[in-house]
């Protein structure tokens, strides 16, 4: 009864969009935990994020009220929720292709130059799927934020190791927690 009272004044598209964001964040928390424990991101979790986006996009098509080509917000879901379904889907697909191409090209060249993997395949797939949610600018903001967070943490870890005269920390580390934190920051900044 209380939930109905709280949700009633909101448009149905806002409820669908907010639910999708909340579920995406919950899945990202799960992905981050798995990545910290195993240093892998299971495909089934990444696929779950993609399916959540597809189901949410279909629901937004149904409740968003007519489709137009004009995006009305910084994130694809903002566009879809206001009726710009085709524009939101187009933003999402361009973001997926762009971030995947950039990460594969830069990761491949760094791997060739250094001899060790620069970014894991699970991270590439995760960021590509997040492009569905965030769009072109959002996914690259997420990538930049994740890199900055990871760099800051690694610098602190190296400084602590140096002060303790311990060996430096391992070169590889789970990247999904940083991606998740950056995703949350981009969503909060873009959903005003």
């Amino acid at each position: 009864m209380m939930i109905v009272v709280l949700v009633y004044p909101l448009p149905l598209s806002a409820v669908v969009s907010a639910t999708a964001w909340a579920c995406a964040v919950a899945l990202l928390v799960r992905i981050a935990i798995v990545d910290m424990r195993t240093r892998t991101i299971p495909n089934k979790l990444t696929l779950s994020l993609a399916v959540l986006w597809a189901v949410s996009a279909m629901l937004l098509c149904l409740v968003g009220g007519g489709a137009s080509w004009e995006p009305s917000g910084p994130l694809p879901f903002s566009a879809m929720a206001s009726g710009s379904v085709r524009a939101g889907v187009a933003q999402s697909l361009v973001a997926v292709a762009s971030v995947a191409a950039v990460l594969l090209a830069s990761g491949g060249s760094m791997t060739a130059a250094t001899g060790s993997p620069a970014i894991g395949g699970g991270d590439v797939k995760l960021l590509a799927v997040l492009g569905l949610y965030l769009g072109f600018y959002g996914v690259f903001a997420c990538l930049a934020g994740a890199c900055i967070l990871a760099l800051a943490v690694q610098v602190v870890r190296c400084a602590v190791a140096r002060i303790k005269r311990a060996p430096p920390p391992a070169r590889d580390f789970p990247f999904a927690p940083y991606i998740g934190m950056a995703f949350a920051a981009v969503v909060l900044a873009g959903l005003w």
Side-chain angles (χ1 to χ4, degrees):
M1 177 79 163
M2 182 67 140
I3 294 173
V4 173
V5 172
L6 292 174
V7 172
Y8 177 71
L10 295 174
L12 193 52
S13 60
V15 173
V16 170
S17 187
T19 303
W21 288 119
C23 291
V25 168
L27 273 168
L28 280 170
V29 168
R30 177 72 178 134
I31 288 169
I33 290 169
V34 170
D35 193 25
M36 287 189 297
R37 287 183 183 161
T38 66
R39 298 282 206 272
T40 60
I41 300 174
N43 288 334
K44 66 182 178 184
L45 291 176
T46 306
L47 183 60
S48 297
L49 269 175
V51 169
L52 173 65
W53 177 84
V55 168
S56 302
M58 285 188 278
L59 286 173
L60 286 171
C61 285
L62 295 173
V63 300
S68 77
W69 285 102
E70 296 301 317
S72 63
L75 303 174
F77 266 1
S78 305
M80 287 185 234
S82 65
S84 305
V85 176
R86 289 177 282 188
V89 171
Q91 288 175 343
S92 294
L93 296 178
V94 166
V96 169
S98 300
V99 76
V102 166
L103 288 174
L104 290 173
S106 61
S109 62
M110 286 297 294
T111 300
T114 63
S116 63
I119 187 165
D123 299 321
V124 173
K125 290 181 270 188
L126 178 60
L127 280 160
V129 169
L130 292 181
L132 294 171
Y133 291 88
L134 299 176
F136 183 80
Y137 297 113
V139 76
F140 282 103
C142 180
L143 175 60
C147 289
I148 291 168
L149 286 169
L151 178 63
V153 169
Q154 287 301 99
V155 165
V156 169
R157 289 179 68 207
C158 287
V160 168
R162 189 171 191 85
I163 290 169
K164 291 183 174 182
R165 297 179 190 242
R171 292 179 66 185
D172 66 330
F173 55 89
F175 195 48
Y178 304 109
I179 294 171
M181 288 185 278
F183 175 84
V186 169
V187 169
L188 291 174
L191 287 180
W192 26 198

